[in-house]
Amino acid sequence: MKQIVIISHKTLARGMAETVKFFAGNIENIHYLCAYEDGKNEFPIRELTKLINSFNEQDQVFLLTDLLGGSVNQNCSQLIKRKNINVITGVNLALVLSITLDPSNQLKKQKIQELIAQAKNQIVYMNDYESGNESDDE
C-alpha cells in the first residue's frame, strides 16, 4: 500500500491533506506534518520517524515536501536510504491527487516520473493560456 506524508513549513501540509480528502474521500493513507508550528523552531523528526515506523514494511512511503533546498526537504531527504521511501519536493495538489488516486499499490520509478511531469504541466500562466475559442485578435 502507498503511504503518503505531506510535510511543509507551517500549515500548507494540513491544508493540502484536507483538500485531497475533499476530492478523494476520507482516505486513511494520507498523512501530514506541519513543521515549525506552535512556536517550535525545529523539524519534527521524532513525529516523522514514529509515523514511518507505524507503516508496514511492504508499504511504499512518499514524503512530499514543499521547497527544494528548504529545511523540510533536507531533513526528509536524509531518509531516502531507508527501503521504500520516496521523497518528492515542490509538490502541488495535482501531484498529491495523482499519487493518491493511482490504483496501484506500488508505483514504479517511471510511473512516479510520469506523474511528476503531468503535475508540472498543471502549472500554467493563465494570461498566455489559449482556450481555442478565442483568438489573439479579439
Side-chain angles (χ1 to χ4, degrees):
M1 172 181 229
K2 295 177 298 210
Q3 296 291 345
I4 300 151
V5 185
I6 307 167
I7 310 163
S8 71
H9 296 83
K10 299 301 258 179
T11 60
L12 177 67
R14 180 183 310 125
M16 196 169 281
E18 289 174 0
T19 303
V20 168
K21 288 179 180 183
F22 171 78
F23 285 110
N26 194 16
I27 53 178
E28 295 181 13
N29 66 329
I30 189 144
H31 316 271
Y32 67 86
L33 285 173
C34 299
Y36 312 109
E37 261 299 283
D38 301 324
K40 297 177 184 172
N41 196 23
E42 59 185 45
F43 183 79
I45 191 66
R46 284 189 199 127
E47 291 91 338
L48 179 57
T49 302
K50 182 178 178 182
L51 180 61
I52 291 171
N53 289 337
S54 74
F55 302 147
N56 293 325
E57 287 184 23
Q58 299 85 3
D59 287 343
Q60 184 179 33
V61 179
F62 289 89
L63 304 180
L64 308 179
T65 70
D66 52 3
L67 290 171
L68 177 65
S71 59
V72 170
N73 186 61
Q74 290 175 24
N75 280 283
C76 290
S77 293
Q78 294 177 17
L79 301 173
I80 292 173
K81 302 172 210 151
R82 295 177 76 171
K83 184 180 177 191
N84 289 334
I85 290 188
N86 302 274
V87 178
I88 302 171
T89 193
V91 298
N92 61 16
L93 184 59
L95 179 62
V96 180
L97 281 169
S98 294
I99 292 171
T100 303
L101 297 175
D102 188 283
S104 306
N105 283 333
Q106 299 275 320
L107 297 177
K108 298 202 181 295
K109 184 177 180 177
Q110 181 179 351
K111 180 65 174 183
I112 294 168
Q113 291 169 334
E114 288 173 15
L115 294 176
I116 291 170
Q118 291 169 4
K120 285 180 183 179
N121 287 334
Q122 293 293 310
I123 301 171
V124 175
Y125 180 48
M126 291 303 295
N127 292 33
D128 292 341
Y129 188 74
E130 295 181 35
S131 67
N133 295 331
E134 301 173 16
S135 70
D136 291 337
D137 296 336
E138 291 181 15

